[in-house]
Amino acid sequence: MPTESARVLLAEDDKRLAQLLASLLESDGYTVTVVHDGQRALHEAMTGRFDLLLFDRGLPGREGLDVIEALRAHGNTVPALILSALGNPSDRVEGLQRGAEDYLAKPFDIDELLARLRVLRRKSAAPTDGLRVPAGTLFPQRHEVVTASGATIRLSERENDLLATLARRPGQVFTREELVDGVFADADETGVVDAYVHHLRKKLGRGCVLTVRGVGYALGAAR
Ligand code: CA
């Protein structure tokens, strides 16, 4: 199996610690994206680009565990490790119950952190599951749809993120506002969603995304 470097989303508001962690992770072979608040962490994680989430619990904007909980509610299953100054057994239990795979109290030993991340990485490195979409199978980490006949259709990052969001919850109708929040964090109006639905339909056929009038969009029904 090719050993592609794992992508970690690191959310830590202590900028010095974030920088230190990022360089330690990078020297251990990870590709690291750093964010400093919970809102940003949610938006980034929703893109589906990451193999591991490493979140501080006490984040401005939105608490780390809240973000994990929101991600799980949206069907995002990327393994998450929570770092927290709160290290009582009850805090750990809460962390695990709310969707984190692992929980490490600060201050922590860096070797222990790296060892735990390797364990989580093994979970996420299991053969990348594709997501079923009407045109075939979407592989969100590769930004590709492989059709039933074996053809590969490349998607742009945002097309990929939008389709992956819909495909993770087939049957769920998303409002434009929810999709802007989850996929187009830097956009301030919902027209951008319509534009990307249009792009997706051009590439994958009209049926790939379903319009639910007066509500929003859902993944198209499989044929
Ligand atoms: Ca903090």
Side-chain angles (χ1 to χ4, degrees):
M1 198 201 278
T3 52
E4 197 182 300
S5 103
R7 284 151 297 189
V8 179
L9 177 61
L10 169 62
E12 169 60 68
D13 60 317
D14 177 337
K15 293 192 178 164
R16 241 192 38 169
L17 178 58
Q19 201 175 22
L20 177 70
L21 279 173
S23 54
L24 283 165
L25 291 170
E26 277 161 4
S27 62
D28 206 42
Y30 294 95
T31 303
V32 185
T33 298
V34 181
V35 293
H36 302 297
D37 69 83
Q39 207 57 39
R40 199 66 231 168
L42 179 62
H43 290 317
E44 284 291 335
M46 285 292 284
T47 63
R49 277 196 300 259
F50 298 96
D51 303 300
L52 293 172
L53 307 176
L54 178 57
F55 285 7
D56 179 30
R57 183 166 178 178
L59 289 173
R62 199 156 176 177
E63 211 224 46
L65 268 181
D66 284 347
V67 176
I68 299 294
E69 208 168 38
L71 286 169
R72 300 310 184 226
H74 278 87
N76 182 306
T77 58
V78 177
L81 191 156
I82 288 281
L83 296 172
S84 175
L86 306 172
N88 291 325
S90 61
D91 297 314
R92 294 166 189 265
V93 168
E94 189 194 354
L96 302 178
Q97 277 176 344
R98 292 176 66 191
E101 271 65 32
D102 203 353
Y103 192 103
L104 195 54
K106 290 177 173 179
F108 52 84
D109 179 82
I110 188 69
D111 289 327
E112 183 178 2
L113 173 65
L114 293 175
R116 285 173 183 244
L117 285 176
R118 263 175 238 130
V119 172
L120 290 184
R121 166 70 178 140
R122 256 179 261 142
K123 288 189 192 176
S124 76
T128 8
D129 290 330
L131 295 165
R132 295 196 59 168
V133 295
T137 306
L138 169 66
F139 294 92
Q141 299 190 336
R142 299 182 346 225
H143 295 194
E144 285 173 359
V145 171
V146 177
T147 68
S149 58
T152 297
I153 300 167
R154 291 278 306 164
L155 301 181
S156 74
E157 188 168 314
R158 293 186 139 192
E159 291 163 356
N160 179 72
D161 296 346
L162 176 57
L163 187 60
T165 300
L166 298 175
R168 286 196 180 95
R169 307 289 309 271
Q172 177 175 330
V173 182
F174 291 84
T175 65
R176 289 176 174 76
E177 289 74 18
E178 284 171 334
L179 292 170
V180 168
D181 271 3
V183 182
F184 305 100
D186 49 347
D188 48 11
E189 48 121 348
T190 55
V192 67
V193 176
D194 305 318
Y196 278 90
V197 166
H198 178 74
H199 295 326
L200 279 173
R201 285 175 171 161
K202 273 177 83 174
K203 284 192 178 175
L204 302 172
R206 252 207 93 63
C208 70
V209 178
L210 189 72
T211 301
V212 182
R213 281 176 69 188
V215 189
Y217 294 108
L219 185 70
R223 279 165 298 184

